[in-house]
Amino acid sequence: MRTHLNPLAVVRNLGILAHVDAGKTTVTERILFATGTTHKRGEVHDGTTVTDFDPQERDRGITIFAAAVSCAWDGHRLNLIDTPGHVDFADEVERALRVLDGAVAVFDAVAGVEPQSESVWRQADRHGVPRIAFVNKMDRAGADLDAAVASIRERLHPAPLVVQLPIGAEDTFTGVVDLVRMRALLWADDGTAEDVPVPADLRDAAHERRRSLEEAVAELHPGALEEFCATGTLSEGTLSSALREVTRDGDGVVVLCGSAYRNRGVEPLLDAVVAYLPSPLDVPPVRGTHGGEEQERPADPAAPAAALAFKVHATPTGRLTYLRIYSGTIEKGDTLWDASAGRSERIGRILRVQADRHAPLERAVAGDIVAVVGLKSARAGSTLCAADAPLALEPPGVPEPVVSVAVESRRAGDTGRLASGLARLTEEDPSLVVRSDPETGQTVLSGMGELHLEVSVEKLRRELGLEVNVGRPRVSHRETVGRGVSGLVFRHVKQDGGAGQFAHVVLDVEPYEEGGFEFRSAVVGGRVPQEFVRAVEAGCRDALTEGPLGGHPVTGLRVTLTDGSTHVKDSSDTAFRTAGRLGLREALRACAMVLLEPVVEVTVTVPEDAVGGVLGDLAARRGKVTGSVTRAGAAVVTATVPLAELFGYATRLRSRTQGRGTFTARPTGYAPAPAPAPAPARVGTPAR
């Protein structure tokens, strides 16, 4: 065991990032096996992995929920988060990156940089997370390390610093040459590694690659450049320390290779994590605010406590809240201040996380990633801090949902259980939004994609035993006046004993271009007193709730009261209000009415080579393109599209652009809807 002055120097908080099927979960499983955390290699295809422990993950063979595990390597503690690779679960990646100090980006040796690899790389760029790259699946047919590195350079724009030379190719891949130490590692079929001198037939290639690596590092690191100019080469110590600093500054990315499935290349990857990725001491102090002032907290166990909740998991036995502790120490039984909710929270238990298994801890210190039990109100993004030193940390950003479905319980008695189940889903996943449409009465669930919503609904079915119907959300239509009427006379007369009701109004109805509703009075000579005019206006507003076409709200009209008359005894506010309501309803039936549908402004960002297909798809969805510009190799198209046509658009856009297209939608109002197609004529059956 190595000795260090500060125990935080031996902590690494890292995530595994990649496209779907690049091998993230297999890499994580092999790391757990290599570190002795597990004694059997888990396989995704067998459903025996540690981190993909949710039944849906095992059924689908993909990672859906970010899972945290902890292990030890060479005297260092590694807190590892295996993140999802599917674009629908990008928010899980976002929340994980918010609390990580480093990451391993996994790439397929055949495919290179894939669409979602690019997306998660950009997310890591935004958070300033240092990365190393692992080119996986070197044993596959068509595997090419140089081609994968070229795609990293072209698509992601870092300086790739390749520190290994593969020995063999495809099914003969058996080892690597470590270009820093100039030694070779050979793996046997059982996964055991042997450290040997560089094979004679690879020495020239290895020296050439080492020279290229030294030149690339010298260009990025002043100290290395000075030694390279003075001696014409770099020592192992200088090269290693320069790689570490270049990685932490984000100026370059160390590239390793291997085959996680065959257990080849995992030990050098762990060595690189320890050697090149930062510890909590190497990252800047966390910054937060209190009372409008910005403050810093160092990664010091003796400082006031400050932790960020980044994930909440509701289990049958209670809520697990995952915390990244940035400063201070928390102990079992401590009371902390939730700066987001403005209330105290008591720590019931502290757990070291091993995916779905947990080991109890008495305390956790700055730099740790742990789960705690007992918090009542803390949500993802909440800051927990010492009550006498409050601080609010910036929460992870929550993306706007892009896809919605309507949900309802099949059994009438399950409505309350469905509401509580949806509340639990949104508590665990902030990117899910539940709302009740006041006009259609539907409960609408919105999320990041159709798979995201499918997984969420399946969770309701499996965990709560709810039978749920899922359908397309209805859109809220409006009705407006296309051609008005003038001089419509309406008399409201009611005489059935006692005080009667009398009101006589004459109305003009016309379209109102500014939208909404406007009421005017053009009555002269006091034929309708002012208090009755106000009653007529109130009655007209009552009539706007249901239009003649389909009972939708009416908008975009101006009503003018041009004449009327009263009765000495029987006229009243009630009578004129009724006359206004019924009179306007009759007038609307005489008008040429137009059905309106909600429209949104869609901004689509796609690669230039996909613009044609996207424009054609928008046209098929009755979209009207309003602009198109090119920025940094990507086209940004804006269009106005009916909201009803956007159902399924997220999935369609991703398939057309290989997952590289994104879009945002902003409501802009209403536009005329197309007239429904006439029903086909019924053809009678001829008599026999």
Side-chain angles (χ1 to χ4, degrees):
M1 176 74 80
R2 297 175 181 171
T3 57
H4 292 266
L5 295 176
N6 192 322
L8 288 183
V10 298
V11 173
R12 299 288 184 273
N13 293 315
L14 68 143
I16 309 290
L17 312 173
H19 185 88
V20 178
D21 288 338
K24 292 180 310 302
T25 301
T26 303
V27 169
T28 306
E29 292 298 321
R30 296 305 184 265
I31 287 175
L32 295 178
F33 182 72
T35 56
T37 309
T38 58
H39 303 291
K40 185 175 183 294
R41 286 178 285 188
E43 303 294 356
V44 173
H45 55 271
D46 291 337
T48 56
T49 56
V50 172
T51 53
D52 284 356
F53 57 84
D54 186 272
Q56 289 203 68
E57 295 179 308
R58 293 186 168 176
D59 289 351
R60 298 173 188 269
I62 61 170
T63 301
I64 295 172
F65 310 106
V69 291
S70 188
C71 55
W73 179 257
D74 194 21
H76 290 69
R77 171 157 295 285
L78 310 183
N79 294 317
L80 188 73
I81 297 182
D82 178 24
T83 64
H86 196 285
V87 64
D88 280 20
F89 308 105
D91 186 55
E92 287 273 337
V93 183
E94 186 75 16
R95 284 182 279 130
L97 284 170
R98 173 65 179 81
V99 299
L100 294 172
D101 301 326
V104 174
V106 181
F107 300 95
D108 188 313
V110 178
V113 176
E114 296 173 273
Q116 191 59 14
S117 317
E118 196 171 338
S119 299
V120 295
W121 190 275
R122 302 292 177 226
Q123 285 178 279
D125 280 342
R126 287 200 306 273
H127 289 278
V129 175
R131 278 142 282 170
I132 59 178
F134 182 68
V135 179
N136 191 27
K137 303 189 179 183
M138 288 293 294
D139 58 325
R140 279 186 61 195
D144 187 336
L145 176 62
D146 291 339
V149 170
S151 71
I152 291 172
R153 184 183 291 108
E154 292 163 13
R155 298 276 293 274
L156 307 181
H157 309 298
L161 305 169
V162 185
V163 296
Q164 291 177 339
L165 171 67
I167 300 174
E170 301 179 351
D171 57 353
T172 62
F173 171 72
T174 55
V176 295
V177 175
D178 183 340
L179 299 176
V180 178
R181 297 190 303 120
M182 290 306 284
R183 295 283 292 177
L185 273 172
L186 295 175
W187 283 279
D189 290 339
D190 62 357
T192 56
E194 184 183 2
D195 192 321
V196 298
V198 178
D201 60 332
L202 288 175
R203 281 177 194 158
D204 290 343
H207 284 294
E208 186 180 323
R209 296 285 181 117
R210 166 67 182 242
R211 180 74 178 179
S212 298
L213 175 62
E214 290 176 352
E215 290 172 353
V217 171
E219 285 181 11
L220 300 170
H221 190 275
L225 178 61
E226 189 176 330
E227 182 176 317
F228 188 76
C229 291
T231 65
T233 186
L234 294 179
S235 66
E236 181 185 329
T238 301
L239 181 57
S240 186
S241 62
L243 285 170
R244 181 180 178 86
E245 291 179 30
V246 166
T247 299
R248 290 177 182 178
D249 293 341
D251 296 328
V253 56
V254 170
V255 181
L256 301 96
C257 64
S259 167
Y261 179 66
R262 293 200 180 186
N263 214 28
R264 294 173 183 174
V266 177
E267 297 90 343
L269 176 62
L270 286 166
D271 290 336
V273 165
V274 167
Y276 306 129
L277 290 183
S279 73
L281 296 174
D282 298 319
V283 296
V286 69
R287 302 170 79 89
T289 56
H290 175 59
E293 294 183 4
E294 194 171 84
Q295 300 179 11
E296 286 187 351
R297 288 282 167 85
D300 182 358
L308 184 70
F310 67 94
K311 182 178 174 68
V312 174
H313 181 49
T315 69
T317 55
R319 295 169 81 246
L320 273 181
T321 307
Y322 290 74
L323 301 180
R324 162 66 194 265
I325 303 169
Y326 283 99
S327 69
T329 301
I330 62 171
E331 298 189 359
K332 189 169 69 171
D334 279 357
T335 299
L336 297 176
W337 178 254
D338 183 342
S340 308
R343 56 168 288 175
S344 296
E345 291 274 23
R346 185 177 179 277
I347 306 292
R349 288 188 293 150
I350 304 173
L351 305 171
R352 176 78 67 201
V353 185
Q354 297 290 6
D356 58 341
R357 297 187 291 275
H358 316 98
L361 296 173
E362 289 300 314
R363 68 178 56 81
V365 301
D368 266 338
I369 292 179
V370 294
V372 296
V373 180
L375 306 187
K376 297 288 190 293
S377 64
R379 300 288 185 268
S382 296
T383 301
L384 296 169
C385 54
D388 56 354
L391 185 75
L393 304 176
E394 182 183 355
V398 179
E400 289 290 323
V402 296
V403 178
S404 301
V405 293
V407 292
E408 64 178 15
S409 55
R410 288 185 188 171
R411 294 190 291 265
D414 283 347
T415 304
R417 290 179 62 216
L418 176 62
S420 63
L422 290 171
R424 177 172 150 184
L425 282 180
T426 56
E427 180 183 333
E428 291 188 357
D429 188 348
S431 63
L432 286 172
V433 176
V434 177
R435 63 182 175 85
S436 179
D437 192 312
E439 293 184 18
T440 65
Q442 289 180 307
T443 299
V444 179
L445 178 65
S446 305
M448 301 306 299
E450 289 176 24
L451 178 61
H452 186 205
L453 296 179
E454 188 183 318
V455 165
S456 302
V457 171
E458 186 63 24
K459 204 168 185 184
L460 290 175
R461 291 174 176 145
R462 290 193 184 200
E463 296 185 9
L464 301 179
L466 284 169
E467 290 297 318
V468 181
N469 289 328
V470 179
R472 169 181 283 200
R474 293 194 293 268
V475 297
S476 306
H477 287 86
R478 296 284 187 273
E479 297 177 26
T480 192
V481 174
R483 187 182 68 252
V485 296
S486 58
L488 184 130
V489 179
F490 186 83
R491 293 175 181 273
H492 174 60
V493 181
K494 187 177 181 182
Q495 198 75 43
D496 53 1
Q501 291 188 21
F502 177 87
H504 164 224
V505 295
V506 181
L507 303 175
D508 287 353
V509 180
E510 59 186 325
Y512 184 44
E513 298 297 333
E514 296 180 23
F517 170 71
E518 184 183 77
F519 180 86
R520 298 189 307 185
S521 172
V523 178
V524 294
R527 290 176 59 80
V528 179
Q530 191 60 37
E531 64 269 24
F532 292 163
V533 171
R534 287 194 293 270
V536 173
E537 179 180 357
C540 288
R541 291 187 182 278
D542 293 342
L544 298 179
T545 57
E546 291 185 10
L549 292 181
H552 309 292
V554 182
T555 186
L557 73 161
R558 177 190 285 132
V559 176
T560 305
L561 177 65
T562 58
D563 200 1
S565 61
T566 61
H567 186 275
V568 177
K569 291 184 179 180
D570 293 345
S571 289
S572 64
D573 281 358
T574 302
F576 272 91
R577 182 164 185 162
T578 303
R581 184 179 78 253
L582 299 179
L584 181 54
R585 283 186 180 174
E586 186 173 308
L588 291 176
R589 285 194 291 271
C591 291
M593 300 296 291
V594 177
L595 184 67
L596 301 177
E597 63 181 346
V599 294
V600 295
E601 183 184 75
V602 175
T603 302
V604 188
T605 305
V606 294
E608 287 185 88
D609 57 4
V611 171
V614 167
L615 291 176
D617 190 41
L618 287 172
R621 294 174 187 271
R622 298 189 283 122
K624 295 180 181 177
V625 175
T626 56
S628 178
V629 296
T630 302
R631 299 176 192 152
V636 181
V637 178
T638 54
T640 302
V641 186
L643 179 61
E645 298 290 346
L646 279 185
F647 190 81
Y649 183 61
T651 303
R652 181 71 171 167
L653 177 65
R654 287 166 189 163
S655 67
R656 280 188 173 274
T657 61
Q658 295 179 306
R660 292 185 287 162
T662 59
F663 82 98
T664 58
R666 180 177 64 86
T668 57
Y670 287 81
R682 295 177 64 89
V683 179
T685 304
R688 294 182 180 177

